[in-house]
Each structure stands twice: as C-alpha cells, then as structure tokens.
Amino acid sequence: MEKFTASNGTQVVPITAPGVAKGIAVAPDFGCRTNIYDGDVQALREFFQHERDQELGRWRFNAYLTVYEAENHQPGNRARAVNVLDDRTGRLHMRHEGQAAWRETNPALSEAAAAYFAAHPEPKQWHEAKPGEVWVAKLSTGPTFDEVALQVMEYAEEGIVFMDHAEEEPYELTATEITDARRIWPEVSDE
C-alpha cells in the first residue's frame, strides 16, 4: 500500500524493507516515537479503515457512504454502475455513471457515485501499453487536439511511460492529456 493521507492531513506510510518488520510511520517527521497524539489516532483509524476497505473491494466516500462496483442490469444502458451503501440505514442505492441527479432525494448518494467514477476512470486500451510499443495519441495539451507518436519506455524512476520523439516530455499511461490512442507498432491486426 502506498502513502495514505488522512482527512486531517496527517500522512501514514507503510514501512516494508528487507530484514525489517512491517510497520507504519506517521508524518510529519516519520521518526520513531512512543507518544501517539490525537491527530495521529484519527489518521491511524482512517488508515486501517482504508486498508480494510481495499481488502473488501470497496471505496469509502465519507464516514457512512461506501461504494461498491456493480453490474449494470439495465438493457441498452452501457454506463458503469455502482452501489452506494448508506452504513447508517443499511440501504443500498444503485447509481450509473453520468446519471442525472435532478430528482435526487439524497444528493450525497449521487455525489458519492460521481466521486467514485472520478477517482476510478474507466480503463482505456493504452493504459496497458508495453515497453517498446509505439502509439499515436491525441493530446489535449494545446488549443487543438494534436496527434503525436509516443514510444512506451521503462525508466527506473518514472516506471513505464509514453515518451515523445525528442524524449523531453514523459506522459503517464493514464495521463488525462491523452484523450485517445491507437497502437501502430507492432502492427495490430484487425482479425
């Protein structure tokens, strides 16, 4: 698990190193100490809740609304769906991506669903690009949508990224500037 930031701004960092017992460090100094302050207690509660949520495949919007991915059972509707559980009442409410909330009796449910979809964008084919491949990508970085050839490269620090021909501008595979992409090498067959 990566660094976790609690609602009060305190950071909790899991420690995993060879030959060292697993543990966690609490910001701001990440040092070893025996005193745990109120802000640290709250951060640790949220950290352990987040860890458990990940184990159970759920995403927490706030203290009482939990979001689960769901199958869309509406014929003809291709939008992704989630179930939002209100822990206070135990009621489960389905919401679809892009669903209008103008008649919503409880707007927090739609807010939770919208936040989930924003935090978990639908994966695109180029998110799984492999080192050595070349893709033509549409970038939204300028006033127009420019198409550029990008090679997939792997670096020690950045990891796997798209790199432009001058090797000046790396783009993460999931960069929001990339609005569309198609692989051109190795060639993709239409079969």
Side-chain angles (χ1 to χ4, degrees):
M1 179 184 281
E2 67 280 345
K3 176 173 54 175
F4 174 79
T5 303
S7 61
N8 64 6
T10 302
Q11 292 182 340
V12 179
V13 179
I15 300 170
T16 54
V20 177
K22 286 185 175 181
I24 56 175
V26 180
D29 60 9
F30 297 114
C32 295
R33 57 184 181 190
T34 56
N35 298 337
I36 298 178
Y37 304 102
D38 287 344
D40 297 344
V41 170
Q42 179 62 31
L44 289 170
R45 281 186 182 125
E46 290 179 23
F47 170 77
F48 290 122
Q49 181 68 61
H50 176 73
E51 194 174 57
R52 184 68 176 146
D53 288 343
Q54 284 188 324
E55 288 173 14
L56 296 174
R58 61 188 181 199
W59 184 79
R60 190 165 297 279
F61 176 65
N62 59 25
Y64 58 89
L65 292 177
T66 309
V67 182
Y68 299 84
E69 287 188 30
E71 283 189 41
N72 185 351
H73 294 292
Q74 290 184 348
N77 187 346
R78 297 183 59 158
R80 295 187 298 161
V82 293
N83 284 317
V84 181
L85 174 67
D86 187 334
D87 293 331
R88 300 169 300 180
T89 64
R91 294 193 62 199
L92 199 60
H93 308 268
M94 181 174 272
R95 296 292 181 271
H96 292 87
E97 189 168 21
Q99 179 178 352
W102 61 275
R103 295 188 69 171
E104 184 73 64
T105 57
N106 186 349
L109 299 172
S110 291
E111 289 173 26
Y116 175 86
F117 291 127
H120 302 87
E122 191 167 9
K124 307 291 185 186
Q125 63 180 353
W126 60 88
H127 293 175
E128 300 297 322
K130 305 285 185 264
E133 295 177 348
V134 178
W135 290 69
V136 172
K138 287 185 181 181
L139 301 177
S140 65
T141 54
T144 61
F145 288 88
D146 295 328
E147 280 195 349
V148 296
L150 300 172
Q151 183 172 3
V152 184
M153 315 257 319
E154 185 168 11
Y155 295 98
E157 291 183 20
E158 291 96 350
I160 298 174
V161 296
F162 284 116
M163 185 63 75
D164 66 5
H165 71 282
E167 294 192 21
E168 294 176 356
E169 187 70 37
Y171 295 95
E172 291 183 17
L173 299 183
T174 58
T176 57
E177 297 94 341
I178 301 173
T179 59
D180 195 14
R182 69 184 186 285
R183 190 176 82 191
I184 59 171
W185 194 87
E187 290 184 40
V188 180
S189 67
D190 292 333
E191 299 173 8

